[in-house]
Amino acid sequence: MSRSTAVEPHTVAVIGGGAIGSAAAWQLADRGHRVVLFEQYAPGHARGASHGSSRIFRYSYPLADYVGLAGRAARLWRRLERLDGRRFYARTGAVDHGEPGAVGRLTRMLRQLGIEHTTLTPDQAAARWPGLRFDGMVLHHPDAGRLHADHAVAALHRQAREAGARTWFHTPVTGLRLAPSGVRVLTASGAFRVDQVVVSAGAWTASLLAAVPAIARRLPDLVTTQEQPVHFVPAQTPVGWPSFLHHPGAGHTGAGIYGLASPDGVKVGEHGTGPRTGPDDRDFRADPAGVARLRDYASRWIPGVDASTAHATTCLYTSTPDGHFVIDRAGPITVAAGFSGHGFKFAPAIGELVVGLVDGTADPPSLFRLRSDRAAAAAHAGSP
């Protein structure tokens, strides 16, 4: 990425070193801002929502805002790979299947926006991808794929530093105080005055902003849950597996399901069914009933894995009531939060939105505004 001059260079503190905060730090530093990224834990930690070996990248959303954001993110992920010299994105294609109404809405949006795609019958899809069984209507779009989460976040850290950002790990932010000029960022190491702050702290966002009433009262309710995807051992090497989403309402009546091949096996999860938790008091233990549901699902719908080999892990979702993101600015504070289990794929494009807010040169889509300005959701985002 070529260095460009910001509208007005600022000193910006970015709080949270997961995918979103790291992407914002990279983009801000590249535009000439003086950036400090604060992360309370070590690089690559597993306490939030950005760790692990796999995330789905896809375009199949019923709203044009998300499809357009995915297109921009795809170009930026490829640019990041070129800059970093390491690969973390694999183009595998993706399939949505299940309830025809839900899949039909996705199909119409891809057609409207000119995204390459095909529709298949369940039998046609099963012949093409014998590791899966299919239901209802099947939509395939070949430009989708998967991201290696740990490698992608590490690349964002490296390129943020290359662009001039400072990355301060093991440095929790304990508070924010609005000052006559800028913001005071409070840490155990002392207080730092900056021109602007970007809060991208995931499950810690609401507590961090509680002392800033002008924003706290406009923040949509953020609910944190501990989700528990599992990895299954494939019956054969999972070459050529697409990422997949199963929309309930036809042959499958449980929770929405997502899955993809990964270095750790075939990953499968329910979307947003985990128990509520706090980010500092979670137990990191998978719920046996949830694991059993995924094992039963694999027995019926994923013949290409050994369903007895389920190995569970945990991660956090921080969700808004409507499933849409919060990306907005109030005074000197920009908030990027509430990514509801489906935000990782968009990280570098969200970083660009943050730059526009910090620079004062762009407004976020109305869908992503703070609560008092937020548009009524036209449809639930609904999947990872």
Side-chain angles (χ1 to χ4, degrees), residues 3 21-30 33 35 37 80 83-84 153-167:
R3 182 71 60 90
S22 303
W26 170 45
Q27 301 275 12
L28 286 162
D30 189 72
H33 294 291
V35 177
L37 175 64
L80 182 64
L83 282 171
D84 199 60
V153 173
L156 288 167
H157 289 163
R158 286 190 293 268
Q159 293 309 309
R161 289 192 294 269
E162 183 71 21
R166 290 177 289 169
T167 52

Side-chain angles (χ1 to χ4, degrees), residues 5 34 43 98 100 130 143 164 185 189 200 210 240 251 270 313 338 352:
T5 302
R34 299 177 295 275
D143 287 334
V185 178
S189 303
S200 52
E270 294 178 331
T313 185
E352 280 200 330

Side-chain angles (χ1 to χ4, degrees), residues 224-228 273-278 283 285 287:
T224 299
T225 54
Q226 180 174 268
E227 304 299 323
Q228 50 182 42
T273 63
R276 293 181 65 153
T277 187
D283 60 13
R285 293 197 296 267
D287 172 37

Side-chain angles (χ1 to χ4, degrees), residues 48-380:
S50 293
H51 63 282
S53 64
S54 58
R55 293 292 189 280
I56 291 175
F57 183 89
R58 64 187 177 92
Y59 295 86
S60 56
Y61 277 86
L63 297 179
D65 284 327
Y66 287 106
V67 181
L69 202 63
R72 185 60 189 155
R75 292 188 288 275
L76 288 167
W77 284 126
R78 290 192 292 267
R79 183 178 292 175
L80 182 64
E81 284 189 322
R82 290 194 298 270
L83 282 171
D84 199 60
R86 298 167 175 85
R87 297 293 302 276
F88 48 79
Y89 174 73
R91 182 178 179 270
T92 65
V95 289
D96 290 81
H97 68 108
E99 200 279 311
V103 180
R105 286 189 291 274
L106 301 177
T107 303
R108 288 190 292 274
M109 182 55 65
L110 295 188
R111 182 185 306 120
Q112 176 183 326
L113 296 180
I115 306 296
E116 183 182 357
H117 66 280
T118 56
T119 57
L120 304 92
T121 68
D123 287 345
Q124 289 171 330
R128 184 167 178 179
W129 300 288
L132 297 166
R133 290 196 179 99
F134 295 90
D135 177 27
M137 179 180 180
V138 183
L139 167 67
H140 173 242
H141 61 298
D143 287 334
R146 66 173 183 265
L147 292 152
H148 193 297
D150 287 339
H151 294 173
V153 173
L156 288 167
H157 289 163
R158 286 190 293 268
Q159 293 309 309
R161 289 192 294 269
E162 183 71 21
R166 290 177 289 169
T167 52
W168 291 6
F169 296 100
H170 304 288
T171 308
V173 172
T174 58
L176 299 173
R177 299 290 184 269
L178 295 180
S181 175
V183 186
R184 283 168 54 83
V185 178
L186 309 181
T187 76
S189 303
F192 304 84
R193 197 207 69 80
V194 297
D195 298 321
Q196 295 195 43
V197 169
V198 176
V199 177
S200 52
W204 291 267
T205 296
S207 60
L208 189 60
L209 291 171
V212 188
I215 297 179
R217 64 172 172 261
R218 297 174 58 200
L219 194 67
D221 293 334
L222 299 178
V223 173
T224 299
T225 54
Q226 180 174 268
E227 304 299 323
Q228 50 182 42
V230 303
H231 290 89
F232 294 101
V233 175
Q236 297 178 338
T237 303
V239 174
W241 283 59
S243 300
F244 54 94
L245 287 91
H246 194 167
H247 301 265
H252 169 58
T253 57
I257 296 288
Y258 68 91
L260 68 165
S262 83
D264 301 315
V266 177
K267 179 181 178 181
V268 184
E270 294 178 331
H271 179 62
T273 63
R276 293 181 65 153
T277 187
D280 296 315
D281 56 16
R282 57 189 287 211
D283 60 13
F284 291 88
R285 293 197 296 267
D287 172 37
V291 175
R293 289 194 302 273
L294 289 171
R295 190 182 297 117
D296 291 344
Y297 177 87
S299 295
R300 179 178 180 187
W301 294 101
I302 315 180
V305 304
D306 180 345
S308 70
T309 61
H311 173 71
T313 185
T314 63
C315 66
L316 295 182
Y317 274 21
T318 302
S319 300
T320 62
D322 59 15
H324 301 305
F325 310 153
V326 180
I327 309 167
D328 203 355
R329 175 179 166 181
I333 298 178
T334 295
V335 182
F339 292 100
S340 305
H342 67 113
F344 191 105
K345 65 179 74 65
F346 302 110
I350 291 168
E352 280 200 330
L353 289 178
V354 167
V355 171
L357 293 171
V358 169
D359 285 346
T361 59
D363 294 320
S366 59
L367 201 64
F368 302 154
R369 287 187 175 274
L370 287 160
R371 180 163 56 190
S372 61
D373 303 316
R374 199 174 179 91
H380 195 286

